[in-house]
Amino acid sequence: MQTFVLAGGCFWCLDAVYRTLRGVSDVVSGYTGGTVANPSYELVCTGTTGHAEAVAVTFDETEIPASIILDAFFTLHDPRQLNRQGADVGTQYRSAMFYADDEQKKLFEEAIERANDIWGGGVVTQLEPLGEFYRAEEYHQDFFAKNPGQGYCLAVALPKVNKVRKAFGEYVRAA
C-alpha cells in the first residue's frame, strides 16, 4: 500500500473522486503544509495558517498504478490556477503535492511534467515535503457521499467525479 498526500482545491472534490477508483482503500481529508498545530477548518479558511486542504489517498499498486492516481489528480483540478480552484480562493486551495520520501518526490515530478504536456504548460503545482498531516473534522470525511444533494457537491464535485470516471473508466469501482 502507498499513500499520497495531494491538494487541489476543496478537499471534498478530491475525496469524492478518489473514492470512486478501485484499488483506493482509504481517503482522509485533512490539512497540511502549514505552521499551526491541530488547525480547525475555520482557522484554515482564514488563509493565515499556511495549510492546504488536502487528502491522504491510500491505494494498492497491484490494483491501480501510482501514475493513474497522479494523472487523475491533474485531471480533476486545473493545476494552472495559483492559490485557487474556481471560486475557492486562497493558499488553502493551492495545487500541491506533499512527498514523504525521495521516491514519491520523483513520481510527483514526473507527474507534473506529464501535466505540463497535457495542459500546455503553466502548471503551478507546488512540490513540498510532507510535514504533519492533520485529519479534518469528521463532517468533512466522505462529504460528497453524505451530502449528494448539497449545492457545492452538485455544481463542483460531481462534474469532477464524472470527468475522472470518463477519463479513467477502467479503474472505476463497480457500482
Side-chain angles (χ1 to χ4, degrees):
M1 300 299 262
Q2 167 117 248
T3 300
F4 290 161
V5 177
L6 306 168
C10 177
F11 47 31
W12 295 346
C13 295
L14 280 81
D15 178 280
V17 165
Y18 283 116
R19 288 180 186 276
T20 68
L21 299 177
R22 67 176 170 77
V24 173
S25 61
D26 196 24
V27 182
V28 177
S29 293
Y31 317 108
T32 194
T35 58
V36 175
N38 299 307
S40 67
Y41 178 68
E42 291 74 21
L43 189 57
V44 170
C45 283
T46 68
T48 61
T49 69
H51 290 91
E53 287 191 15
V55 292
V57 182
T58 302
F59 62 99
D60 182 344
E61 286 188 86
T62 65
E63 292 187 53
I64 188 167
S67 61
I68 298 298
I69 296 292
L70 298 175
D71 292 348
F73 171 69
F74 284 110
T75 299
L76 74 93
H77 82 293
D78 184 343
R80 300 166 302 172
Q81 294 186 356
L82 183 63
N83 297 327
R84 71 176 304 143
Q85 279 299 296
D88 294 329
V89 179
T91 57
Q92 67 271 28
Y93 300 115
R94 68 187 178 271
S95 177
M97 307 170 89
F98 299 89
Y99 59 90
D101 55 33
D102 288 341
E103 181 182 331
Q104 280 191 1
K105 184 178 181 184
K106 184 177 187 299
L107 288 172
F108 292 176
E109 288 169 340
E110 291 167 355
I112 290 170
E113 286 179 33
R114 290 193 305 275
N116 263 310
D117 289 342
I118 292 166
W119 286 95
V123 170
V124 296
T125 303
Q126 297 172 359
L127 193 57
E128 302 177 35
L130 178 61
E132 191 72 34
F133 180 85
Y134 299 98
R135 182 183 176 93
E137 296 80 355
E138 192 54 40
Y139 72 93
H140 291 298
Q141 308 304 324
D142 203 10
F143 188 88
F144 181 77
K146 293 175 185 173
N147 302 278
Q150 198 260 7
Y152 188 92
C153 290
L154 292 171
V156 181
L158 184 58
K160 292 179 182 210
V161 168
N162 289 336
K163 185 177 181 184
V164 169
R165 282 182 176 164
K166 183 177 179 183
F168 301 96
E170 68 185 279
Y171 294 101
V172 173
R173 292 182 191 277

